[in-house]
Amino acid sequence: MAEGIRDKVAIVGMGCTRFGELWDRSAQDLIVDAVAEAVADAGIDRDRIGAAWLANCFDEVNLGKSAIPLSLALKLPYIPVTRVENFCASGTEAFRAACYAVAAGATDIALAVGVEKLKDTGYGGLPDFGESLGTSNRLTFPNMTAPGAFAMMATRYFDRYGLSREEGKNILAHISARSHANGARNPKAHMRMEVPIDRIMKAPIVADPLGLFDCCGVSDGAACAIVTTPEIARELRDDAVLVKALQIAVTSGEELLGTTWDGTHVETTRQAGRRAYAEAGVETPRDEISLLELHDCFSITELVTFEDLRISPVGGAGKDVLDGFYDLDGTIPSQADGGLKCFGHPIGASGLRMIYEVYLQLQGRAGDRQIDDPRLGLTHNLGGFPIMSVCSVAIFGRE
Amino acid sequence: MIGVLAYGGYLPRYRLDRKAIVAAMGWSNPATYGLARGERTVANHDEDSLTMAVEACAGCLDGVDRSAVDALFLGSTTLPFAERQGATMVASALDLRPDIRTVDVTGTHRAGTSALLSAFDAVGAEGTGQVLVAASECRTARAGGNDEHLFGDGAAALLVGDGAPVAVLKASHSVSVDFVDGYREPGATHTRGWEDRFVRDEGFKTILVDAVRAFLDKIDLPIDDFAKVVFPCRYTRDHGGIARTLGVVPETLVSPMMDVVGDTGAAHPLLMLAAALEDAEPWDKILVAGFGNGCDVFYLQVTQRIEQLRTRRVTESLARRADLGSYEKYRVFRGLTDTDVGIRGELEAPTALSALWRDHRTVFGLVGSRCTACGMPQFPPQRICANPECGAADRAEPYRFSDRRGTIFTYTGDHLASSVEPPQIYGVVDVDGGGRLFVDFTDCTLADLRVGQPVRMTLRRKYRDRLRGLSGYFWKATPADAAAAGEERTDG
């Protein structure tokens, strides 16, 4: 009978580079820097790492296929190294693989690295989906981008809840403004400026109704985690962070092919969240989760995720946002580090960057972003689009 | 009885005011100021002669059993491929049977009338009960000349067959003359011609007039016997002069629509004929002449059945219009201007022709599947049913979405996607009868749309791979015309 991952794996070291348009940093630079920080943080000899996983999505931009780029950069001594990809959920996917290797007893200490060099495309936005959707899909899929695919959810959400364009955009603006205020305090973030609501409301439209500040930026970066058994963790430090839940849900095709999806939520978030709460033993998320690192690729994503994770009631996230419930000094701070909004979204790295913030917060090392006595932190890492997605939800704690 | 069983025409939504043309180029050729009257049709950037032919045919086949069509003849001088048959692609888009005869008729502006007369020749032969005839043009011209004023884009279609016709062919006459009023080698972008006065005098005023007179002699009927007289002539002033020369009764002269459409080349005689049929009365005789390297002349007689088949596709197309806004847009739409599309816009993944072959009916026919276990339609076709209550494997049958209406489930206007005319509009359509389509939208602005709005599907050119010289086609959603939805159609 499967038991789940709760309390079987601990994080003993993490690293995260500064994220940004890092024209002068190669993928090798990012990998080496992130892993150096993690190894120092864990206080281990690097040769104790028994297996490694590499998360990278757009391999055609810079890195290339297979796990060889990771092993080459670090000169890993012929250990098992695997590349994983699940769109924007790749980072947590690599982390999940490393955790399961440890939990299964396949290795004592495992490394998960997420890295992406998006700024080698030569144009703004994510790399064109042209070939990455596959040769068949590109014959029939619309000429879409990520902002557009998520903007469709905003169109539908505003329509369903009777929000005028102004009302809806105002709610979304509060989400972005709050993330910017948090990111301004974070030396590793790409965007470090506060942005007033008014400027967000008037910003040029990227994909209607989403404006410039409703969309996370495109950036380069790397983050990584070193995981091990709780027993080995106790030898290394007394503030290791325990994995309480680690769940992934992938669309069945219902949203894209059927007619039951209401267009105003992400089903994979609901499914992965439900299973993660059960795995971690969380019954009332709104009362038990201390902080959230959500996949705020777009402000609308964060809004519906509050509902999909059962923290805000369905249709009620807007009120919570405007009430400051998710502010840094609110009840459940969301994106304390500034989120994808301020870091940008190097695809493979984001899931691990989220875990990095939860890790620091639980250890009391988040500096002037520090939340008071956090118990459980949740990361939500969403790949694909609302109509076709993969979502991972992970929960972490101290005891 | 053999005759015209159905008819239709299609004009693209965009119109270019001719004053915008002279505002841009009149300085280079002041003589063109004299042409700057009215407006002309301009195909959208995602339209070409194939897509417009599909629209005209779909309108013509509304309510008709498509499986009864035995052949498709397509006339055009502007087909997108010199090799890869246009009629086959149009037939695929209409989801006609594969065991049919498809023929492209090209090379001349009488390609449309020649295709129609060939259809009449073919019907009645073994296995040829119904022939669908289409003619379509999407034309380009050099900047500053007369042609960009005179040309228009559009298409027409007629179904010829054995049944209950609205009009029967009574007689025809054709002459073949290598009169070079225009010529274009393969690979050349534009047509070259000769002095307009020569073309008017020796071409229209001689060859066309002589052919009509010879025809009238042959059938021993006077010109005033005809209730409607159809002949395109791109020289508007001379159109009336030629009619007077022939003795055409003024009220019977069918407008060549130069001030609202322009000359649509091979499509024009059939477009004018379709317009003429819209308000024809039983027993009307309609004379048609199609000029180009000679002349086709024929006449149809309208039957009583016209009163049961009052389709008005040409009139509806004319009414459905939007200002293109600028001359530059027309040039960019037709690929005549070297545009900075950005690095993202330059990316073009290759078309896997093997994948296209495998998915051909899906891509061209918009044919998905319906699960016979639970009845749910789904697109693209699925071997394992997407209904979570069902999940049956290999119980799917083909299910066509192209001729179904739907409503908008959600949409957006995307400024990041590389688009010829930003924003790129796309969304999800709830299809009448079940299923959803995630598609691009076309022929609309963002302000035109709302959740719940009725839409219909239209075949468009989805992408143009200039590096490899290949265009890809697929279906897009477009706001459904309220007028079309409520047309008079009383036949069973």
Side-chain angles (χ1 to χ4, degrees):
Chain A
M1 183 76 193
E3 292 177 349
I5 202 83
R6 183 177 177 182
D7 294 332
K8 295 193 177 142
V9 183
I11 308 173
V12 288
M14 288 203 75
C16 182
T17 67
R18 185 170 64 83
F19 282 26
E21 289 166 322
L22 309 176
W23 311 110
D24 61 342
R25 312 296 288 160
S26 67
Q28 184 181 134
D29 286 326
L30 297 172
I31 290 168
V32 168
D33 287 345
V35 173
E37 181 187 343
V39 166
D41 183 33
I44 58 166
D45 193 314
R46 213 201 59 180
D47 287 343
R48 286 184 72 185
I49 295 169
W53 276 264
L54 167 68
N56 180 259
C57 181
F58 287 99
D59 56 272
E60 65 271 26
V61 184
N62 192 274
L63 233 70
K65 287 200 185 312
S66 88
I68 292 172
L70 181 66
S71 192
L72 266 181
L74 296 173
K75 314 301 180 294
L76 297 175
Y78 294 92
I79 61 170
V81 187
T82 308
R83 173 173 167 245
V84 296
E85 179 268 323
N86 225 337
F87 274 147
C88 313
S90 299
T92 316
E93 194 70 71
F95 181 78
R96 179 169 177 258
C99 288
Y100 274 90
V102 165
T107 191
D108 283 336
I109 301 180
L111 169 71
V113 180
V115 60
E116 206 83 35
K117 267 298 294 181
L118 289 176
K119 292 313 295 178
D120 280 347
T121 55
Y123 54 86
L126 285 175
D128 194 73
F129 293 142
E131 287 186 68
S132 59
L133 283 180
T135 49
S136 266
N137 282 335
R138 69 180 301 276
L139 297 176
T140 59
F141 262 55
N143 181 18
M144 58 177 286
T145 64
F150 282 83
M152 292 192 329
M153 189 162 65
T155 299
R156 189 85 190 159
Y157 191 97
F158 291 5
D159 182 81
R160 177 178 178 178
Y161 296 109
L163 295 169
S164 70
R165 188 182 172 82
E166 186 83 10
E167 285 167 334
K169 282 181 71 67
N170 182 51
I171 292 168
L172 298 182
H174 274 80
I175 290 171
S176 300
R178 178 259 297 140
S179 289
H180 272 293
N182 294 353
R185 303 172 182 224
N186 195 331
K188 293 197 174 178
H190 174 206
M191 306 280 184
R192 300 199 55 207
M193 73 289 191
E194 304 217 11
V195 186
I197 298 278
D198 192 55
R199 189 170 167 211
I200 297 173
M201 292 290 284
K202 292 190 174 124
I205 296 293
V206 173
D208 200 270
L210 302 180
L212 185 63
F213 293 99
D214 291 303
C215 309
C216 72
V218 171
S219 60
D220 307 323
C224 65
I226 297 173
V227 295
T228 186
T229 63
E231 293 72 39
I232 295 172
R234 272 190 286 276
E235 294 166 20
L236 294 171
R237 64 195 306 153
D238 56 11
D239 61 349
V241 167
L242 286 171
V243 178
K244 298 289 182 180
L246 193 44
Q247 291 293 333
I248 289 188
V250 180
T251 180
S252 67
E254 209 174 311
E255 300 93 302
L256 182 65
L257 302 165
T259 50
T260 53
W261 179 53
D262 62 15
T264 58
H265 77 274
V266 180
E267 185 60 29
T268 53
T269 301
R270 288 188 180 176
Q271 300 274 351
R274 181 177 49 79
R275 290 204 295 271
Y277 290 142
E279 190 172 35
V282 170
E283 286 175 10
T284 317
R286 193 178 173 96
D287 296 336
E288 301 176 52
I289 302 295
S290 313
L291 72 143
L292 299 164
E293 279 291 318
L294 307 183
H295 201 87
D296 57 328
C297 47
F298 305 97
S299 49
I300 183 67
T301 319
E302 198 173 333
L303 184 71
V304 310
T305 303
F306 293 141
E307 298 175 3
D308 289 338
L309 289 177
R310 285 164 32 218
I311 298 175
S312 291
V314 174
K319 182 179 182 307
D320 278 335
V321 164
L322 295 175
D323 284 347
F325 183 89
Y326 295 106
D327 289 358
L328 190 58
D329 59 0
T331 312
I332 306 185
S334 183
Q335 333 299 41
D337 62 351
L340 269 76
K341 189 78 213 48
C342 297
F343 274 80
H345 185 30
I347 312 270
S350 287
L352 285 156
R353 188 268 310 149
M354 295 175 188
I355 299 173
Y356 181 74
E357 178 67 4
V358 168
Y359 173 77
L360 291 178
Q361 289 279 357
L362 288 172
Q363 292 178 334
R365 293 161 59 196
D368 56 359
R369 305 184 312 275
Q370 184 62 51
I371 293 160
D372 198 37
D373 191 31
R375 320 312 286 307
L376 291 177
L378 181 151
T379 68
H380 159 267
N381 193 204
L382 179 68
F385 324 104
I387 201 168
M388 190 175 88
S389 64
V390 47
C391 180
S392 52
V393 175
I395 300 176
F396 305 89
R398 281 292 308 280
E399 67 275 339
Chain B
M1 206 196 315
I2 291 172
V4 175
L5 303 179
Y7 58 98
Y10 171 81
L11 296 167
R13 174 173 162 269
Y14 273 132
R15 309 294 149 84
L16 180 61
D17 189 328
R18 291 198 173 93
K19 289 199 282 296
I21 305 176
V22 290
M25 295 303 304
W27 58 271
S28 77
N29 188 356
T32 56
Y33 279 99
L35 300 172
R37 241 189 10 255
E39 59 187 21
R40 54 154 294 181
T41 54
V42 175
N44 202 344
H45 65 86
D46 60 358
E47 294 186 285
D48 65 8
S49 58
L50 281 190
T51 66
M52 290 192 288
V54 173
E55 279 281 11
C57 288
C60 181
L61 292 178
D62 188 26
V64 170
D65 175 12
R66 295 185 183 195
S67 69
V69 176
D70 300 307
L72 194 157
F73 297 171
L74 174 62
S76 176
T77 64
T78 54
L79 291 176
F81 295 97
E83 215 174 300
R84 184 183 175 190
Q85 193 183 60
T88 312
M89 295 165 76
V90 172
S92 300
L94 298 168
D95 200 34
L96 303 183
R97 298 182 347 246
D99 62 318
I100 63 173
R101 177 161 303 145
T102 50
V103 175
D104 282 350
V105 184
T106 69
T108 176
H109 294 146
R110 66 171 161 79
T113 50
S114 293
L116 183 63
L117 293 175
S118 299
F120 275 106
D121 289 342
V123 169
E126 177 79 26
T128 309
Q130 291 186 13
V131 180
L132 182 58
V133 178
S136 178
E137 298 281 31
C138 185
R139 316 184 76 179
T140 62
R142 285 177 293 171
N146 293 350
D147 287 349
E148 60 185 0
H149 282 275
L150 300 176
F151 288 176
D153 299 326
L158 296 107
L159 181 65
V160 175
D162 201 343
V166 297
V168 296
L169 178 69
K170 299 301 278 185
S172 72
H173 174 69
S174 292
V175 293
S176 170
V177 185
D178 183 27
F179 176 77
V180 187
D181 59 327
Y183 68 92
R184 179 164 38 94
E185 281 194 321
T189 310
H190 302 299
T191 305
R192 293 184 62 89
W194 203 247
E195 189 173 353
D196 286 327
R197 297 174 69 83
F198 161 73
V199 174
R200 180 197 62 193
D201 289 350
E202 290 296 298
F204 289 96
K205 284 184 171 174
T206 306
I207 294 172
L208 185 147
V209 167
D210 286 354
V212 172
R213 282 180 172 153
F215 176 65
L216 293 173
D217 269 347
K218 187 159 113 176
I219 61 177
D220 195 25
L221 283 177
I223 191 82
D224 55 14
D225 230 43
F226 294 91
K228 291 175 188 285
V229 175
V230 170
F231 66 91
C233 176
R234 58 183 179 266
Y235 308 120
T236 313
R237 289 190 189 89
D238 300 309
H239 183 254
I242 291 164
R244 276 192 296 281
T245 303
L246 286 169
V248 175
V249 175
E251 302 78 62
T252 68
L253 189 60
V254 173
S255 167
M257 297 183 280
M258 290 304 290
D259 284 358
V260 288
V261 177
D263 182 287
T264 62
H268 220 55
L270 301 192
L271 185 68
M272 289 173 68
L273 171 58
L277 285 168
E278 284 184 2
D279 61 3
E281 294 299 329
W283 319 126
D284 277 354
K285 294 193 188 74
I286 304 178
L287 177 76
V288 181
F291 174 79
N293 302 124
C295 195
D296 291 323
V297 193
F298 60 93
Y299 89 91
L300 306 171
Q301 181 154 38
V302 179
T303 70
Q304 210 137 27
R305 178 130 169 91
I306 195 80
E307 287 170 336
Q308 275 102 56
L309 200 61
R310 285 279 178 218
T311 55
R312 296 208 153 85
R313 304 284 180 197
V314 179
T315 304
E316 284 154 12
S317 277
L318 274 168
R320 179 179 155 267
R321 63 174 296 293
D323 271 310
L324 182 62
S326 79
Y327 172 76
E328 287 81 6
K329 273 177 91 168
Y330 144 73
R331 300 270 311 167
V332 172
F333 280 13
R334 295 286 79 79
L336 298 173
T337 302
D338 195 2
T339 319
D340 184 356
V341 297
I343 297 175
R344 180 187 287 277
E346 284 173 349
L347 299 171
E348 196 60 71
T351 305
L353 291 174
S354 47
L356 175 60
W357 168 239
R358 222 167 27 244
D359 298 340
H360 201 277
R361 204 173 173 206
T362 303
V363 172
F364 270 84
L366 202 61
V367 173
S369 61
R370 172 166 54 195
C371 176
T372 56
C374 71
M376 185 173 110
Q378 39 216 277
F379 185 88
Q382 300 296 316
R383 287 190 57 186
I384 296 179
C385 180
N387 180 354
E389 317 286 316
C390 177
D394 289 330
R395 296 284 305 273
E397 62 181 7
Y399 183 90
R400 187 167 76 219
F401 285 84
S402 64
D403 49 351
R404 291 185 167 267
R405 304 243 155 159
T407 58
I408 297 180
F409 175 72
T410 190
Y411 65 96
T412 185
D414 187 337
H415 287 274
L416 182 62
S418 177
S419 166
V420 175
E421 192 183 13
Q424 181 80 27
I425 302 177
Y426 51 88
V428 179
V429 174
D430 269 331
V431 185
D432 293 351
R436 275 192 186 152
L437 296 169
F438 180 31
V439 285
D440 289 313
F441 286 27
T442 190
D443 277 357
C444 58
T445 64
L446 203 56
D448 293 336
L449 306 181
R450 63 179 198 286
V451 172
Q453 179 174 12
V455 293
R456 63 178 187 86
M457 302 307 295
T458 175
L459 182 86
R460 292 298 168 104
R461 199 174 54 199
K462 188 177 191 298
Y463 62 89
R464 196 163 179 171
D465 183 349
R466 287 185 195 275
L467 178 65
R468 305 174 185 89
L470 182 66
S471 290
Y473 296 85
F474 189 57
W475 296 79
K476 300 187 180 182
T478 191
D481 294 318
E487 79 191 34
E488 287 176 62
R489 200 185 168 91
T490 56
D491 66 317

